[in-house]
Amino acid sequence: ASEAYISQNNKTVGNTREDLSAFKANPADLESLFAQLPLYGTRYTTNLTAKLLKNEKNSFIIKCIVTGLSKDGYDPDGEILKALESLAGTVSSKNPALQTNICDAVFSICRFMGRPAYNKSGKFILKNFMSPANDSKVRLYARETLEKISALEK
C-alpha cells in the first residue's frame, strides 16, 4: 500500500478532474498505515520509510511516519536516521510537535540499534534542536533526550 501511495503521489494529472484516491479520501486509514509501517521491522520497510521521509511534503504524513518510528527503532543500515537528520534540518521551528516527535524517533532508533555510530548520529540531530532559534520547550526536550542517549552508553 505504501508503494502505491508513492506511485500515486508521483503522478501528474494535467487539466482533468480525477476522483480522490483512497489515500486522500480516507486520511484516518492512511495515518494508521504510516504509523504501523516501521513496526514491520524489515529492510524493505526501513528503506521505504527512509524514502518517504526524504520525499514526502505532506506534514500530516511525515508526522504519522515519525510517530510510528518512535514505537519501533529498527534501522539496520542507518537510512532512517539519515532521513531524520535531513528532515530535522528542514522542519520549521514553528512546528515544535514534529521536532519533539523526531527526538523520540531518534531515541528509539539509538536505543533499539545500540551501536555507537547510531548514538553519534542521534546526538548530532538532537544538538541541532538545541539551537536558540527553536522553542525553549524543544531545546529542553532535545537536551533531555540527549541525556537519555548518553545514559544508554554507560
Side-chain angles (χ1 to χ4, degrees):
S2 39
E3 282 287 345
Y5 174 80
I6 291 173
S7 173
Q8 187 267 330
N9 262 2
N10 290 335
K11 278 198 239 176
T12 55
V13 176
N15 288 333
T16 61
R17 181 187 160 130
E18 186 177 293
D19 290 335
L20 286 177
S21 73
F23 301 112
K24 293 181 180 173
N26 196 343
D29 286 348
L30 187 62
E31 177 181 14
S32 177
L33 168 79
F34 286 121
Q36 293 177 36
L37 187 62
L39 299 176
Y40 284 98
T42 66
R43 286 186 190 272
Y44 174 75
T45 57
T46 57
N47 291 337
L48 182 61
T49 301
K51 184 177 178 180
L52 282 164
L53 285 172
K54 290 177 186 173
N55 299 319
E56 184 58 52
K57 303 297 181 225
N58 184 323
S59 61
F60 174 74
I61 301 300
I62 293 169
K63 181 184 176 292
C64 294
I65 296 167
V66 173
T67 300
L69 289 170
S70 66
K71 295 174 185 162
D72 177 60
Y74 183 70
D75 185 17
D77 301 322
E79 291 299 314
I80 293 175
L81 208 51
K82 288 177 194 167
L84 286 171
E85 183 178 338
S86 176
L87 177 64
T90 62
V91 172
S92 169
S93 60
K94 294 179 177 137
N95 194 346
L98 182 55
Q99 289 177 320
T100 56
N101 285 349
I102 291 171
C103 291
D104 290 337
V106 166
F107 175 72
S108 177
I109 291 169
C110 291
R111 181 185 60 204
F112 187 87
M113 298 311 295
R115 292 187 226 151
Y118 284 84
N119 293 347
K120 184 178 177 183
S121 296
K123 287 177 181 179
F124 179 77
I125 295 168
L126 295 172
K127 286 178 184 176
N128 287 334
F129 282 139
M130 293 166 62
S131 158
N134 291 313
D135 183 85
S136 62
K137 291 178 183 175
V138 172
R139 293 193 310 263
L140 178 63
Y141 197 80
R143 185 177 2 268
E144 290 170 352
T145 307
L146 189 60
E147 289 170 2
K148 291 193 300 188
I149 290 175
S150 294
L152 293 173
E153 296 173 341
K154 295 179 182 176

